[in-house]
Amino acid sequence: NPDPETNFTIKKDESKPITTVREYAFNCDEKVKVINIGASVTSIDAKSFYSCWALQRIEVDENNPNYCDIDGVLYNKDKTEIICYPVDRDAYLCEKYGFKQYDDKGNWIELQPDQEGFEEYREKVLTYVLPSTVTKLGAFSMNYAYIADLYMPEGITTIETLALFKATRLENIYSYKAESAITETDYTAVATLGTIYKSLPEGLTYI
């Protein structure tokens, strides 16, 4: 069968489950948009997804006892550590909320502060709230993240090496003291954060 769309069969071999994703496994990949983490994965190196320029989402099998995701952002299971905020997640959010616009050559054009709809764009695409359970930003966890406003819980004690490396769009870091559990990570959570101050968390002990 010469048809490349139908001339092959994919067979899943469950006798050799993937358990480990080692450093640089997807280093500088320019094509992969979504990575699925199976239930058998027990270890993911901090540099596994380094510089994956097209990566928009990491989705974790709900039966995995070690990891989980929140709308495509990778965390450990108890959500005390953020492990990977995909480099191109803003593209996914732009698609989700209808902010995609292109020039004549097909290049994406970002909304500017003087354009209509910018404030909504900033809220829905450029704002991220870390859950109140988070105590640690893992190594490389938010490198190249295209975020302008980042909200951190006051309970964060550790920011590991290069956690915010080349997050050049970042303008503001806010910390919050939650009066109740914060589980949502998008802009809608901001109104429920309780006390907010513009600074790194007061509980921070290590960078």
Side-chain angles (χ1 to χ4, degrees):
N1 177 4
D3 183 359
E5 296 296 323
T6 60
N7 66 3
F8 63 91
T9 300
I10 295 176
K11 182 178 180 181
K12 185 176 181 179
D13 181 0
E14 296 185 347
S15 67
K16 299 176 182 178
I18 298 294
T19 59
T20 303
V21 187
R22 297 196 182 278
E23 62 180 4
Y24 305 120
F26 295 88
N27 186 41
C28 293
D29 187 283
E30 298 179 354
K31 301 294 184 183
V32 173
K33 292 185 177 182
V34 180
I35 292 175
N36 294 282
I37 304 296
S40 60
V41 175
T42 60
S43 176
I44 300 174
D45 188 273
K47 297 185 285 295
S48 296
F49 313 117
Y50 183 70
S51 300
C52 289
W53 305 116
L55 187 59
Q56 298 180 10
R57 298 174 60 77
I58 299 173
E59 299 180 353
V60 183
D61 189 303
E62 62 181 13
N63 295 314
N64 187 300
N66 304 291
Y67 300 100
C68 70
D69 76 277
I70 302 177
D71 196 17
V73 178
L74 182 63
Y75 288 83
N76 64 346
K77 192 66 173 184
D78 60 5
K79 299 173 185 151
T80 56
E81 178 182 356
I82 180 170
I83 297 171
C84 183
Y85 184 98
V87 171
D88 204 28
R89 186 170 185 264
D90 54 295
Y92 156 71
L93 294 174
C94 282
E95 197 73 49
K96 179 178 179 179
Y97 294 115
F99 291 109
K100 281 288 189 182
Q101 55 178 354
Y102 302 90
D103 61 19
D104 296 338
K105 296 182 179 179
N107 298 312
W108 173 56
I109 306 172
E110 184 180 10
L111 275 173
Q112 298 302 311
D114 59 347
Q115 290 181 287
E116 182 179 355
F118 177 79
E119 288 305 317
E120 183 184 8
Y121 164 74
R122 186 182 181 109
E123 287 181 345
K124 292 183 176 180
V125 178
L126 302 181
T127 299
Y128 193 69
V129 179
L130 289 165
S132 55
T133 51
V134 173
T135 60
K136 177 179 172 181
L137 270 68
F140 300 89
S141 57
M142 303 188 79
N143 65 151
Y144 298 101
Y146 206 69
I147 298 170
D149 299 315
L150 177 60
Y151 291 81
M152 298 183 178
E154 194 173 48
I156 286 181
T157 60
T158 304
I159 298 178
E160 291 285 2
T161 181
L162 299 175
L164 292 165
F165 177 65
K166 291 286 186 179
T168 56
R169 188 67 175 81
L170 188 61
E171 296 176 26
N172 302 299
I173 292 178
Y174 299 97
S175 297
Y176 69 88
K177 187 174 182 179
E179 298 173 359
S180 58
I182 303 298
T183 58
E184 299 297 322
T185 60
D186 63 19
Y187 71 101
T188 60
V190 175
T192 65
L193 295 184
T195 303
I196 299 174
Y197 52 93
K198 191 174 182 180
S199 171
L200 290 167
E202 290 184 1
L204 188 65
T205 59
Y206 175 84
I207 301 177

